Amino acid sequence: MTVTAFAPETEERFALARQVADAVLFEGYVLYPYRASAAKNRLRWQFGVLVPPAWGAECEEHDFQHTECLLEPKAGATLSVELRFLHARRRTVQQARSDGGYDTVPELHLDDRVLVPWDEGAEERVEVVATVDELLGDGVTFPFERPAREDTEPVLDAAGRTVGRLVRRCEEISGAVRLSADELDGPYRALRLTAIVENTTDWTPPEGRSADRDAALPHSLVAAHLLMALSAGSFLSMTDPPEWAKGATAACRNLHTWPVLAGEPGRADLVLSSPIILEDHPAIAPESPGALYDATEIDEILALRTAALTDEEKREARGTDDRAAAVIDLADSMPPEVLERLHGAVRSLREVTGAAAAPAAADGFPDEYGVPRPDTPWWDPASDAGFDPAQDRVVVDGRSLGAGSRVLLRPGLRRTDAQDLFLQGRSATVEAVLHDVDGGVHLAVTVEGDPGADIRREQGRFLYFQPDEVTPLEDA
C-alpha cells in the first residue's frame, strides 16, 4: 500500500465529484435563518457522524461506516480513496480588557456582525492509494490521526483596534480506513470491494455526562464519506447492475452509507459512498447560485426569505459563521435574472405530436390500464370534474385496483431512486388512483406496518408508484 498524492488525472476526476461531495459534506451545516440562536441550529451535525466507540456504545449513533460495491478492474489497476469529513472546531468569543487581558463573553457586537460561540467545521481529508492486488485477502488498513490544536484570531473594529479575539480548539481524533476485496464466482472477473471507515478515538465521556452528544462531537468524524476511483476498469451500479451481477449486488452490505456512481455521466470509474442516499451520477443544478446548506428547502424560497431578514438578524448570521455570512451576501447581491432562474427548469422534453403520438386524449377510449381518457384537454379546469381519486380504478394484471386494494411494491429501477430499494417486496394499501396532466396514472399508497401511516393519511402525504410497479395481492 502506498499513501501519496493522487495522480493528476485522478485528482481531476475527484475535483469534479467534489462538487457534489461538498454538498454532502456541508448539508445542514447551518440552516435558515443562519443564526446560532435559531432552534434548528442548536442540534448540529445530522449526517454521517461517526462518534467515538465509547460514546457510540451508549447511544444510537455509530462509530463506523461499511461500504460494499462491485468492480471490474483491469490488470494492474490501482484504487485511489479519499475519505472526507468535518472536524468540529469549537469557537469561543473573548472581549479585550483595558489591561491587555481577555474575558470570555456570550457575544461581541461589531458594526457589521455579532460574534457568538459556535462549532465550526474544518474540512479534513485522508488519501490512500493501493493496487487492487493488495486488496485481495486481508486487504490493507490505513490508520490516521488529527492532533488537538488551538489557535486564536484577533477581532478588530472598523477603526482597526483590537476589541477581542476568537479562540478555536480542535480535539484529538483518530480513525482507520480498511480496504479489502474478494473474487466473485461467475463468468466475468469481478470483485466485491469492502471499504470501512472507523472512528478509533480513545475518548470516554466525563463522569455523569454519558449522554451528552455535544461533548462527543469534537471527537467525531462529521459528514464522513468516501470517494473511490479506479485507474483502469469500472464499478457496477448498485441500482442498475447488469443481469449477471444482480444477485451479487443484492448481497452487498452497506451500513450507514450508500455508494453511487459519480463523476461524468457515462463513466463508471468513480464512486461516491455517502451517508445521504443519492442516485447515480448526482449533479448540482446549474441554476444554483451557491451553497445554501439547507437542501430540505427550495433555493428560491431560501433566497427570498434570507433577503427579507432584518438588519439585526443579518448581523447575527454574519457573526455566526463565515459560510452563513456568504449566504447573506449572496442573497443581498443576487441579480433578478439569477433569482428568476431559481423559479424552475425543464430538464427533459418528449415529443407529443407527430406520427408516433398517442391518440387524442378526447377519443373516449380506455388507456392501457382500463381508465377512460378524459374528453377535455388537461389544461381545461373542467377536466378535473371527471376524476375522483377515492373512487377511480385501474386494471393491473387483470385485476381492478382502487382505494383499499392491497399490492406488493416492485419499484422500477429506471425511474426510481435508491430509497425505493428498501420498499422492494413490501406490501402496501392503495389510498387513491391519480392522473397527471400527461395522462399518466399513479397509485398513492401507504406501506403496511408503517407506524406513521395514519399521519400520512391525515396529511395526504403518500408514496407514489405507477401501475406496472405493483403486483395485486390475492385478497386485493
Side-chain angles (χ1 to χ4, degrees):
M1 178 187 66
T2 58
V3 181
T4 182
F6 296 136
E9 188 273 338
T10 301
E11 176 60 33
E12 183 178 343
R13 284 187 288 157
F14 275 164
L16 178 63
R18 288 190 195 110
Q19 296 176 20
V20 172
D22 282 347
V24 173
L25 188 65
F26 290 102
E27 168 57 24
Y29 178 77
V30 55
L31 304 174
Y32 173 86
Y34 305 110
R35 304 192 310 271
S37 62
K40 58 166 59 173
N41 283 319
R42 293 175 187 170
L43 181 62
R44 305 280 308 286
W45 321 118
Q46 298 302 306
F47 301 101
V49 178
L50 305 185
V51 299
W55 195 77
E58 301 184 18
C59 68
E60 295 183 357
E61 296 192 74
H62 312 284
D63 59 8
F64 75 98
Q65 289 177 342
H66 181 113
T67 300
E68 287 186 0
C69 58
L70 306 185
L71 65 156
E72 294 181 285
K74 294 182 179 179
T78 61
L79 180 72
S80 299
V81 177
E82 181 175 85
L83 166 64
R84 307 172 78 230
F85 62 92
L86 295 179
H87 190 177
R89 184 169 59 186
R90 191 142 288 170
R91 184 186 76 193
T92 55
V93 180
Q94 295 184 342
Q95 187 170 22
R97 298 197 307 261
S98 57
D99 62 2
Y102 293 89
D103 293 323
T104 299
V105 294
E107 57 186 28
L108 183 61
H109 288 258
L110 302 174
D111 290 341
D112 62 338
R113 64 195 189 278
V114 180
L115 295 171
V116 293
W118 178 253
D119 281 357
E120 300 173 342
E123 181 183 344
E124 300 280 4
R125 297 183 185 180
V126 178
E127 299 177 350
V128 182
V129 180
T131 67
V132 171
D133 290 340
E134 288 179 287
L135 305 182
L136 298 174
D138 293 335
V140 297
T141 298
F142 176 67
F144 62 89
E145 293 183 358
R146 295 294 183 270
R149 58 189 185 274
E150 181 176 294
D151 60 72
T152 60
E153 176 189 350
V155 176
L156 308 179
D157 63 12
R161 297 185 297 262
T162 299
V163 294
R165 67 181 183 179
L166 300 177
V167 180
R168 298 179 174 94
R169 178 172 178 80
C170 284
E171 301 295 341
E172 179 181 0
I173 57 175
S174 61
V177 179
R178 306 182 188 277
L179 305 171
S180 61
D182 56 278
E183 297 267 5
L184 295 180
D185 294 331
Y188 307 100
R189 183 179 185 254
L191 305 179
R192 178 185 293 108
L193 171 67
T194 300
I196 300 173
V197 179
E198 296 177 314
N199 185 339
T200 60
T201 304
D202 184 18
W203 174 84
T204 55
E207 185 176 356
R209 298 182 64 189
S210 60
D212 190 345
R213 184 176 188 268
D214 192 56
L217 284 175
H219 307 273
S220 302
L221 281 59
V222 176
H225 59 276
L226 290 173
L227 287 170
M228 301 185 287
L230 271 176
S231 63
S234 60
F235 293 93
L236 302 185
S237 170
M238 293 294 293
T239 55
D240 191 18
E243 190 66 33
W244 63 267
K246 286 185 176 179
T249 301
C252 288
R253 291 192 313 132
N254 287 284
L255 305 175
H256 325 311
T257 188
W258 180 255
V260 298
L261 300 180
E264 296 179 23
R267 297 186 62 167
D269 52 4
L270 194 150
V271 157
L272 166 62
S273 187
S274 160
I276 301 173
I277 295 177
L278 303 170
E279 60 184 7
D280 283 339
H281 298 292
I284 302 298
E287 298 82 14
S288 179
L292 297 175
Y293 311 110
D294 196 343
T296 59
E297 296 284 357
I298 300 171
D299 282 13
E300 181 184 27
I301 295 176
L302 277 176
L304 291 171
R305 286 179 173 175
T306 302
L309 293 174
T310 66
D311 290 342
E312 187 59 31
E313 289 172 328
K314 290 178 180 179
R315 288 181 66 238
E316 185 182 342
R318 286 192 172 95
T320 293
D321 190 278
D322 288 344
R323 296 182 183 277
V327 173
I328 299 299
D329 294 339
L330 175 66
D332 283 350
S333 62
M334 190 177 297
E337 59 271 19
V338 175
L339 183 62
E340 177 67 22
R341 290 204 300 268
L342 299 181
H343 191 62
V346 176
R347 296 293 180 212
S348 61
L349 297 171
R350 63 183 179 85
E351 186 178 359
V352 295
T353 60
D363 59 13
F365 291 99
D367 66 10
E368 60 183 306
Y369 300 115
V371 178
R373 294 187 177 93
D375 56 5
T376 54
W378 68 264
W379 59 85
D380 185 342
S383 65
D384 288 343
F387 298 108
D388 184 350
Q391 300 297 325
D392 285 349
R393 312 283 296 183
V394 57
V395 177
V396 177
D397 294 341
R399 297 176 180 269
S400 177
L401 301 180
S405 299
R406 297 181 64 243
V407 296
L408 281 180
L409 302 179
R410 306 291 188 190
L413 290 178
R414 295 189 182 278
R415 58 168 177 261
T416 188
D417 57 45
Q419 297 185 46
D420 286 341
L421 293 179
F422 299 112
L423 301 176
Q424 183 71 242
R426 294 289 300 272
S427 57
T429 300
V430 177
E431 303 291 341
V433 177
L434 304 172
H435 303 260
D436 62 30
V437 297
D438 293 321
V441 182
H442 306 268
L443 300 178
V445 307
T446 51
V447 178
E448 294 182 352
D450 179 1
D454 290 340
I455 296 177
R456 290 180 183 273
R457 290 191 187 95
E458 185 175 318
Q459 296 179 342
R461 302 179 64 181
F462 304 115
L463 301 175
Y464 298 91
F465 294 88
Q466 295 188 12
D468 60 359
E469 295 181 301
V470 303
T471 300
L473 288 173
E474 289 298 325
D475 56 349

